Amino acid sequence: MSCRARSQCTPRRSGERTEAYLHTLGFKDTAVIGCPSMAMFGPSHSVPNPVISEDTLVAYNVETSVDRMGAAVADAELNYRAVYFPQDLQTLGLMLWGSKRSPMRRDRRLPIWAGHPQFRSGTAEFMLDADSWIGRLRSFDFSFGTRIHGNIAALLAGVPSLTIPHDSRTAELAEYHQLARYAPAREEFMTVAQLVEWFSADAMNRATRSNFERLRSFLHENGLESIFDPGQEQALRLYESTIQQNLPQEPVRCRWVGLDSQDRRALWRQRPRHLEPALRRGVTNRAARAIRRHHYERLRASSTLGNAAAGAGQDPPSAKSRDRG
């Protein structure tokens, strides 16, 4: 694989709004190619339209900094088999060590506090790598959320996923890839059934090939090849076999489920104090590496995580049968 000198490469930008902003700063040599992850499985990848019932397995993701989708989350928890897939370090910290804080003036229907049923029942799953994440989502029937890459992960798994944009970046990526998206004027009565009714994969499926070819042209213009190019069939097979040989990483689940108050306080005291500022700020690559380095291997070896992860391949219980506290 070769690439031209960096000074000759065309900067890539995910969406037209970002490109327009860069033009105001004087950067004119840009290309809009969307999210390259959408090309992970080639130009023929497609997603079906959803069919749901009371036994439907629903995945959802949440941007924890905004109060969106509270009604839909509550409906998913009450009427379907729902699993929350968090993506931020603050929630990971809550799942590992618990929390003494309760959100003030926030929508408590959202999984942003320790008392939420997703945490109390040990159902929420924090995935640690993309392949395991996509593989886990393949068993679901429908997904929705405000996190663009949580929705893209579901789409790559072949699962119908509805994006609910909460900022311009999410909106422009959804528009570029023609993702099914829903931005209701009022969310008080939003239900999963309404989201499913709104969903259609037709536009995205039609746009997949043209977007893929645009990305491939961008790579070729900058001296790069892809495993989907003619003559790269052996590389593609090697890549796919290597991915299949990788053992899936078990998700992180709440460590404190089932512990009494004394043990929970002891677990809270074990939290890494030097990482607290990063956890409060949110996701940073440095903090993510630090958390993995300091804790992941120890957690995998612990009986608490081992017992929790043993059921990762099983469908979660219906919300109607959970202890909702």
Side-chain angles (χ1 to χ4, degrees):
M1 186 177 291
S2 61
C3 181
R4 299 174 187 168
R6 178 171 295 185
S7 61
Q8 295 177 306
C9 289
T10 301
R12 69 100 175 169
R13 292 295 169 248
S14 56
E16 294 178 355
R17 298 177 191 177
T18 301
E19 182 180 50
Y21 174 70
L22 289 174
H23 286 178
T24 67
L25 300 178
F27 298 96
K28 303 297 183 182
D29 190 14
T30 61
V32 177
I33 60 172
C35 177
S37 299
M38 287 292 292
M40 183 174 182
F41 296 119
S44 300
H45 183 71
S46 62
V47 175
N49 289 316
V51 177
I52 65 169
S53 66
E54 290 185 356
D55 292 327
T56 292
L57 198 55
V58 175
Y60 67 88
N61 57 81
V62 168
E63 170 52 58
T64 57
S65 64
V66 296
D67 284 353
R68 297 289 304 271
M69 309 190 316
V73 168
D75 181 65
E77 292 291 332
L78 182 62
N79 297 308
Y80 303 93
R81 296 185 296 160
V83 178
Y84 171 46
F85 288 88
Q87 296 173 232
D88 61 288
L89 284 185
Q90 287 179 300
T91 303
L92 177 59
L94 183 151
M95 296 171 71
L96 292 177
W97 305 294
S99 173
K100 292 184 177 180
R101 298 180 179 179
S102 182
M104 301 296 293
R105 299 179 182 177
R106 296 291 307 276
D107 189 342
R108 293 168 72 89
R109 296 173 298 181
L110 297 173
I112 56 177
W113 61 299
H116 193 276
Q118 283 287 322
F119 301 129
R120 290 176 61 88
S121 64
T123 303
E125 301 180 18
F126 195 104
M127 307 304 297
L128 296 173
D129 70 284
D131 293 322
S132 300
W133 191 9
I134 294 170
R136 176 70 176 107
L137 286 169
R138 288 195 176 102
S139 62
F140 285 76
D141 304 299
F142 185 65
S143 176
F144 68 92
T146 48
R147 301 289 298 242
I148 186 64
H149 288 101
N151 299 319
I152 287 176
L155 293 170
L156 291 175
V159 175
S161 180
L162 187 76
T163 298
I164 303 174
H166 70 93
D167 60 12
S168 60
R169 175 177 170 272
T170 303
E172 72 174 356
L173 282 170
E175 291 167 5
Y176 177 85
H177 290 287
Q178 293 296 298
L179 307 185
R181 52 200 182 276
Y182 185 47
R186 298 180 62 188
E187 298 185 2
E188 290 87 346
F189 306 105
M190 186 165 57
T191 66
V192 173
Q194 289 174 333
L195 299 182
V196 169
E197 184 178 357
W198 188 266
F199 180 89
S200 174
D202 298 341
M204 185 199 70
N205 290 337
R206 288 193 299 269
T208 295
R209 182 170 292 276
S210 60
N211 288 342
F212 178 89
E213 294 302 333
R214 188 178 297 111
L215 172 61
R216 182 152 61 179
S217 297
F218 172 82
L219 295 176
H220 292 168
E221 290 171 5
N222 288 281
L224 296 169
E225 296 178 330
S226 82
I227 56 176
F228 294 103
D229 288 340
Q232 296 293 323
E233 292 80 9
Q234 183 175 356
L236 176 58
R237 288 193 295 270
L238 177 62
Y239 170 78
E240 291 176 340
S241 64
T242 301
I243 291 298
Q244 293 173 359
Q245 291 171 8
N246 288 337
L247 295 176
Q249 300 284 354
E250 297 291 354
V252 173
R253 296 172 183 262
C254 285
R255 299 176 65 201
W256 41 265
V257 173
L259 299 181
D260 58 29
S261 58
Q262 183 176 354
D263 289 338
R264 287 186 64 170
R265 285 195 296 270
L267 185 63
W268 170 254
R269 288 194 291 269
Q270 294 175 16
R271 70 194 188 282
R273 303 294 179 90
H274 65 288
L275 292 179
E276 282 191 340
L279 290 172
R280 287 195 295 269
R281 286 194 302 269
V283 176
T284 65
N285 290 335
R286 184 175 182 181
R289 288 194 298 268
I291 280 187
R292 289 192 182 193
R293 183 170 62 251
H294 283 272
H295 297 281
Y296 180 55
E297 290 301 328
R298 188 177 70 179
L299 290 175
R300 289 193 65 187
S302 71
S303 59
T304 303
L305 182 59
N307 293 336
Q314 302 176 2
D315 291 341
S318 169
K320 297 175 182 178
S321 64
R322 295 182 194 150
D323 174 15
R324 303 190 60 85

